[in-house]
Amino acid sequence: MNKKAFIFDLDGVIVDTAKYHFMAWQKIAQELGIEFTPEHNEDLKGVSRVRSLDIILELGKINASQEYKNKWLIQKNEDYLSYLVNMDQSEILPGVLPILQFLKEKNQAIALGSASKNARPILEKTGIIHYFDAIVDGNDVTKAKPDPEVFLEAAKLLNVAPENAIVFEDSIAGIQAANVANMTSVGIGEETILYEAKYIFKNFMYMDTSFIETMIKK
Ligand code: B16
Ligand code: MG
């Protein structure tokens, strides 16, 4: 039995922050007169802040100077952070803590693989940073998902071969990144969106510890 690495995405997998990213982007889109729906938002999940803005501007066919782009990027992050001010353990998505606990009891290696530059403060605020043996976030990588860099780096830090890594992801880009890395992709969300994942669970409440046992033994 080879050593495994369990790599968790953050936004939309561990914490319910995907809605805050959406709210902050929608505010900017509205100011620019761009229609930005939850369907459009799926393409922003797991994608870096800079790339997310470009996608929104492309949607509105807006050509903006770098100066304006920087202003919107700052505004988006300030709005996003203002939604997180009172963040605590209650923002952890249902079923996540028991799975983290189970993995710890089984002495499994756990990593975070997130595109977010706000990952560490979120893990601290929610009181779960101690579960993670390695953290790779938006500050550590140069290539955004669907590039596999973030997950490959996490597996490397844990000294685990990519094929022995299991990735939990809520975004299309993240599932593609895990697949490209030759890791086991586990989609957390809707099957209609995450159909490229090897396994899909609506949320962690639907995931039994027997699934984790199977992943550990495989
Ligand atoms: P930030 P994840 C991603 O986090 C989000 O899904 C995505 O919507 C966001 O734009 C990106 O982080 C960057 O986040 O602006 O906080 O640096 O899902 O990879 O954990
Ligand atoms: Mg995510």
Side-chain angles (χ1 to χ4, degrees):
M1 195 161 68
N2 291 313
K3 183 186 171 190
K4 302 296 181 323
F6 289 83
I7 307 176
F8 289 75
D9 172 52
L10 179 67
D11 296 312
V13 167
I14 292 180
V15 282
D16 199 7
T17 40
K19 63 183 182 212
Y20 297 137
H21 281 295
F22 177 59
M23 281 161 63
W25 283 128
Q26 206 176 35
K27 202 169 151 210
I28 288 183
Q30 258 162 17
E31 281 172 24
L32 297 175
I34 302 169
E35 198 201 349
F36 180 61
T37 65
E39 287 70 38
H40 293 137
N41 189 52
E42 288 303 324
D43 292 334
L44 267 60
K45 287 186 179 174
V47 171
S48 71
R49 202 180 309 163
V50 171
R51 178 71 195 127
S52 297
L53 177 62
D54 284 340
I55 292 174
I56 291 175
L57 294 176
E58 280 163 23
L59 204 67
K61 300 190 171 48
I62 291 178
N63 249 324
S65 68
Q66 195 55 48
E67 199 186 337
Y68 271 104
K69 284 190 189 182
N70 291 344
K71 182 180 108 54
W72 293 323
L73 288 170
I74 291 169
Q75 187 189 327
K76 188 270 170 178
N77 200 46
E78 282 177 356
D79 285 340
Y80 176 65
L81 291 177
S82 75
Y83 303 137
L84 303 185
V85 170
N86 298 318
M87 186 173 214
D88 58 20
Q89 279 229 337
S90 66
E91 297 271 358
I92 299 174
L93 285 162
V96 172
L97 281 178
I99 294 291
L100 286 173
Q101 196 54 45
F102 185 75
L103 287 168
K104 269 279 165 263
E105 280 160 21
K106 297 283 172 188
N107 290 316
Q108 296 301 303
I110 305 176
L112 189 86
S114 167
S116 176
K117 294 189 171 181
N118 297 301
R120 281 177 186 269
I122 290 174
L123 291 178
E124 276 161 9
K125 271 172 181 282
T126 49
I128 55 171
I129 199 159
H130 62 281
Y131 282 106
F132 295 88
D133 304 300
I135 294 175
V136 184
D137 65 23
N139 300 296
D140 306 312
V141 293
T142 52
K143 289 172 252 159
K145 301 168 189 173
D147 188 283
E149 185 184 11
V150 64
F151 296 142
L152 288 172
E153 189 56 30
K156 197 168 137 198
L157 287 176
L158 296 175
N159 214 7
V160 170
E163 60 267 31
N164 292 321
I166 297 98
V167 175
F168 302 108
E169 252 294 346
D170 71 315
S171 72
I172 302 164
I175 293 295
Q176 290 170 343
N179 290 343
V180 168
N182 201 20
M183 298 177 172
T184 302
S185 56
V186 183
I188 305 295
E190 298 302 327
E191 206 166 338
T192 48
I193 296 169
L194 303 176
Y195 53 84
E196 290 176 63
K198 174 108 199 251
Y199 303 94
I200 303 174
F201 296 88
K202 204 171 165 58
N203 62 50
F204 279 99
M205 296 297 277
Y206 289 80
M207 191 186 294
D208 208 71
T209 48
S210 62
F211 174 73
I212 301 291
E213 297 261 27
T214 311
M215 291 296 112
I216 295 172
K217 288 187 191 133
K218 91 182 171 71

